[in-house]
Amino acid sequence: SNNMFPDTFTTFENNNSNNRSYNRKQTDRPDIIKKDVDIFVKDLKESKDKNNKKGTIKKYDEKKDRYLVRLQTGENVYLKINNIQQIIPARITELKSQTELNDEICKIFGFDKKSNRFKVILNNTSVIGLKQENVIINKRACIRIDNIKTNRSLNNMWGRIENFDLNQKRYIIELRDGRKIKLKQGNIFI
């Protein structure tokens, strides 16, 4: 393949990044989901009745390594990151078949491993599956990195989308240690 990024990612030079990320407030950490992000509860083994319930992130508790989530029922629960499915705004792009959907705003609310597609809500009504390369996730979203073959230590790390480079079709992701890396759309999960 004629790939400019044979290693899937590129590290940017980042002046002044030494201890910056550890000195900043927790609320600004790129690996922490922001307050007021809407979520669905998923994969709970004990309290299965809470699975698929909608809620909102209230805060991250570093000591517990859990998020305080207020469910739509009014109940507050502490959840691990793996039990949270964010609902993230995105823009549809480069669809070949349903071209009328290109540039539409949608909400990603999951990933279907069988079809290898994001689960997306359009106009708060219809649900469709879209390939990762057919959505551009909003800036500032907290994302999980995966499917990197060369620098596997990046897999399952969390970071924040700083931007999307339309020419190179790469997300610019800030990591907790202050590094900024470029990643293909297929390496970004929520």
Side-chain angles (χ1 to χ4, degrees), residues 19-32:
N19 275 327
R20 192 181 60 138
S21 61
Y22 295 102
N23 294 335
R24 70 175 114 177
K25 286 189 225 159
Q26 166 207 305
T27 54
D28 196 37
R29 279 182 34 195
D31 61 330
I32 299 292

Side-chain angles (χ1 to χ4, degrees), residues 88-143:
I88 298 290
R91 187 169 49 84
I92 299 173
T93 186
E94 297 189 11
L95 279 180
K96 305 282 187 272
S97 58
Q98 295 177 281
T99 56
E100 70 279 4
L101 295 178
N102 287 329
D103 290 326
E104 289 287 319
I105 301 301
C106 62
K107 290 182 181 176
I108 301 171
F109 70 97
F111 189 79
D112 181 22
K113 290 178 183 170
K114 287 180 189 152
S115 67
N116 209 29
R117 285 171 164 64
F118 279 128
K119 296 187 234 174
V120 171
I121 303 170
L122 295 172
N123 304 321
N124 291 321
T125 55
S126 52
V127 174
I128 62 172
L130 291 176
K131 294 178 183 174
Q132 288 156 297
E133 60 264 23
N134 293 125
V135 294
I136 298 174
I137 301 169
N138 280 16
K139 293 179 190 177
R140 314 281 303 154
C142 186
I143 55 87

Side-chain angles (χ1 to χ4, degrees), residues 72-89:
Q72 276 187 332
T73 61
E75 183 182 1
N76 289 324
V77 294
Y78 281 95
L79 298 172
K80 295 178 187 176
I81 187 77
N82 293 338
N83 299 116
I84 291 172
Q85 176 58 64
Q86 299 177 76
I87 303 169
I88 298 290

